[in-house]
Amino acid sequence: MAATPMMQQYLDAKNACGDALLFFRMGDFYELFYDDARIAARVLGLTLTSRDKGENPIPMAGFPYHQLESYLAKLIANGHRAAVCEQVEDPKLAKGLVKRELTRVISPGTLTDDALLDPRESNYLAAVALPAHKNNGDSTAGIAWAELSTGRFFAATVPAARIADELARINPSECLLSEEDTPSASVPCPPFPLPSGTMLTRRPAWSFGYDTALASLQKHFELATLDGLGFTESDSSALRAAGAVLDYLCETQKASLVHIDRLTPYRSGDLLEIDEASRRSLEITRTIRTGDREGSLLATIDKTVTPMGARLLADWITNPLTNLAAIQARQTGVTELVAEDALREALQEQLRGVYDLERLLSRVATGRASPRDLSFVSRTLSALPKVKAKITARKAALLTELESNLDLCPEIHSCLESALLEDCPFVAKDGGIIRGGYNADLDRLRDLAAGGKEWIARYQAEQAKATGIANLKVAYNKVFGYYIEITNSQKDKTPATYIRKQTTVNAERYITPELKEYEEQVITADDRAKQLEYELFLSLRESVQREARRLQATAAVLAQLDVLTSLADLARKRSYVCPTIVEEPVLKIIDGRHPVLDIREAQGTFVPNDCILGGEDGTVTLITGPNMAGKSTYIRQVALITLLAQIGSLVPARAATIGVADRIFARVGASDELARGQSTFMVEMTETARILNTATPRSLVILDEIGRGTSTYDGISLAWAIVEHLHDTITCRTLFATHYHELTDLTQTLPSVRNYNVAVKEWEDHVVFLHKIVPGAADKSYGIHVARLAGVPKEVNERAKQILARLEQEHLGENGRPKLTVKGKRSSKGDLQLTLFAAPDHPVVQELRDLNIDSLTPLEALQHLAKLQSRVAQSPQKTS
Ligand code: ADP
Ligand code: MG
C-alpha cells in the first residue's frame, strides 16, 4: 500500500536523520512512528497506539508539543539521539500538506537548552582521529573537543597511547569516531576505552579527511590559512579531529555557529598530567563509590556562585598548571581576596545576580534564545558596573587584568534595557516582550487593541441603556468572537437590528455589524502588535549576536572572578595557607589536612600531618600501620594538596612548600578498589607498569597497598621491586602505603627511603587509632585487633592470635624481624637477596663448597653426587 503524502513526508525526514528518533510535529503534538514509537513507549513511558488501524497499522506514540524539552531530556539521558521535524508554515495558511523540515538533531554532545544541561558541568563533544598511516609507525592521534553551549573549541595532538587519559580529562558526553576505525558493527568498542557515559557516534571516514577538515575550518573561521591558529605541521591529526567536530555540528544544528569563534591548540606540556586511573582514584571530580560529584574534591572546594564559575573551577581542577609564574599569578589574586572579607562578600553578592552568560550567548548565536534569555543577558549586564567597581584599584596583577578586560558593553545594555520588559516570556510570538515607548508603531497598535477593549465596555453600556436591558452583556468566545447576550426574561426587548447567532438554556446571543467591525480592528491590532514585537525581538537578538565576541570575553572574566573569589572564600573559611611554589622536586607540608575529610569530619577532629620529601629528606616514604589507621587518607591528602597548589589555590595546611610536579600518579591495590567491578590484579599491574614507564624525576607517585591483589609473597616481592625501581631509576617523590610491614626493611638497602607509621595506642586489648604519622616502622599489623573491633567472635580472635604467634616464630629472624633482607648484602642494583625466598644453607651446600673438584676422578665425582642426592632426598629442608 502506498504511503499517504504525509507519511511519505515522514519517511523522507526519517531517512535524513540517521539513527536519531524522529519527533514529527502534527498540530499540537509530536508523534513518533514505527520502531521509534516502540522505543519511545518503552523509554518515555508513552502509550503505544497505531495509525491507520486497517490492515497495516503503523505503531505510533506522541505527546503535546509543550512537553518536548522534558521528553528530549529523558531520551538523551537514556543514550538516544533525537531529531525534531517541525511544521515550517502556518497550517491555517497552508495549501494542502503543511510543509515540514528537520530543524535540529539533538545528541548528548550537542545540547544547548538549559533544561537538558547541568549548569555546573561542561558538556563536550569530542572527536578522535587515529593515526592516518597506522602502518608507518605513526603513533600520534588527534583529539578535538567543543562545547556547543559555550562555543569553546580545542584540538590537540597526543600520543595514541594517551587517548584514554585525555578523554578521561575532557569527559565528553559524546565522541565521534570514523567508521573506518571501528572495523565492524560487531566491534562495539573503539580501540581505546571511552569514559563511562560517553556516547560513541560513528561518522563517515571522509568527515575525518585532512583536506575536508582544512576546507571546513577555513570556511568557518573565514581564514585563508590556519597558520595563525598556532597549529604546526605535526598537528594534522588534531585538525582532522577538529574538522570532524565542526562537520558534525553543522550537519546537526542547521544553525549559525558564530559563537564558536576560534580553535585553540591545546598543549599538554603546560599542564599537570593525571592519567585516567589516578583521576578516578583521587576522586577529583567524582567519587569512586557512587560516581557522583558530591563528595569529590571539586564539590568540596566549590564555593562559586555562578554556573560559569562552577564550570571553570572544574576546568582548573582537571587541568592544573606546571608553570610557576602562572600558578603564582592565580595565588596572588586569591590571596588578595582572602585578606579582604568585605570585598569578597560584596563581589560574591554581585556575581549572584549574574546569569549563565556563556550559555545564553550560545543560544543567541544558534538562534534559539528566547525573549527571557535576552532579558537575562540584560540583567547580567546591569550587574557589571558594580562588579567592576569592586575590583578596581587592586594590587594583584591578575585582578587588574580582569578589571580591564571586563567590558561593560554599555551600548548593548542600554539597547536591551530600553527595549525589554522586566519579565519576558519564554515564547517569542505571544507578545509581552517589548516596553512601551520603545517603538512608535507598536505603541499605536497597542493603543488600538486596548482602546478597542474600552470601546467594547462603552458599547455594552450604551446598548444596555438604549434597550433598557440592564443585564445586557457583551462577551467573547472563540467561535463567534464578540457577541451580545440577553437573558430569556429580557428577550422581548431585543431590538430587531440584532442578528441572532445562538440560543443557550438561559439566554440568546446576538451580533451587530458595529460590534463585528470593531472586533476586527481589535483582534488584528493585537495580532499585528504581537507580530511586530516578534520582529523587534529578532532584531534585538541579532544585535546581541553581532556583539557575541565582546560578551563572551566578559563572560570569561566573570567566570574567573567567580573562581578566584570561591578559592578565597574556601581558604578563609577553612584556614588554608598560601604554599610556596618552587621548581625543585620537594614537598614540605606542615600540618596538612585532607581537603575533603577536613570538611566532612566534625570541626577540629581531623588530625593534621606533615610530609617532608625530596633531596636530603629522602624521596620515598613508606607508611605502615594497621588497617583503618589513616594511611590511604594521608597519601591522598599529599597528592590533593599538591594538585590544589598547582591550580593556584591555597592549601589545607599550616605551611607548605610544593615543588611543581609534572605528573601525579595514584594507584590503589586491586583488592582495595572495590567499587570497580572488574578489579583484578592484572589491572593493578598494568596501571603500575604505566607509572614505572612514564614517571619522571619531577613526578609525584602515591601507591596504596600495591601488591595486595596477589599472594603475600608475590605481593611483597613485587612491591619491593617497584619501590626499588622508583627509588633507583626514576628517583621521584613517592609515598607508599602498605600493611606489609616486611617492606620497612627497604631502608636497610635504599638510602632515600624513610619509614613512617601511623601511631596507635594499645590499651588493654584494644587499639586506638591516633591518625598521626610518625617516623619509624610499624612493628606489627594489628589486623587481629581490627577484626575484633569489627565484631569477629572472640573465639575466632583468640584462635587467630595463636596462629599468628606460631607463624611469627617460624618466619622471623633472630632479630625478630621478617627475613626479607640480609643487611648490606645488596651488592649492585637489582641484585637483592631475599632470605625469605632463598632457603638458608643446607649442610649439603657447605659440603659442595668444600669439595675440591680438581682432585676427584670422574668416578669419585659420580659417587659424591649420588651420596649428596640421597642426603637431600631423605632430609626435607627445615626452615630455621
Ligand atoms: P588505612 O588506609 O590506613 O586503612 P584510611 O586512610 O582508609 O586507613 O582511614 C580510615 C578512616 O580513618 C578514614 O575513613 C577516616 O575516617 C579516619 N581517618 C584517617 N585519617 C584521619 C585523620 N588524619 N584524622 C582523623 N580521621 C582520620
Ligand atoms: Mg587504606
Side-chain angles (χ1 to χ4, degrees), residues 9 35 68 81 124 154 179 203 253 257 306 349 424 487 489 535 572 591 604 687 760 769 771 813 870:
Q9 200 182 32
D35 279 350
L68 179 65
R81 231 179 288 278
Y124 285 113
F154 304 91
E179 270 165 1
R203 299 286 294 160
Q253 297 309 297
L257 300 171
T306 71
E349 193 48 43
C424 283
T487 53
S489 58
E535 283 158 19
R572 172 74 199 188
D591 279 349
E687 293 178 349
V760 291
F769 297 120
H771 304 306
S870 72

Side-chain angles (χ1 to χ4, degrees), residues 742-817:
E742 291 85 348
L743 290 180
T744 56
D745 280 5
L746 276 164
T747 47
Q748 297 177 11
T749 52
L750 304 181
S752 283
V753 173
R754 301 287 180 271
N755 275 326
Y756 283 84
N757 73 93
V758 200
V760 291
K761 210 157 82 189
E762 274 186 81
W763 180 67
E764 293 179 353
D765 217 11
H766 302 274
V767 285
V768 181
F769 297 120
L770 301 179
H771 304 306
K772 196 75 193 166
I773 308 288
V774 294
D779 48 2
K780 48 181 172 171
S781 278
Y782 295 96
I784 292 175
H785 293 84
V786 174
R788 171 82 195 282
L789 286 181
V792 169
K794 210 167 169 201
E795 311 86 77
V796 176
N797 248 291
E798 289 306 319
R799 176 70 185 133
K801 274 191 199 164
Q802 283 173 8
I803 298 173
L804 178 67
R806 280 272 293 285
L807 287 175
E808 282 184 343
Q809 249 172 28
E810 289 179 7
H811 285 282
L812 298 184
E814 286 129 36
N815 59 355
R817 322 201 62 182

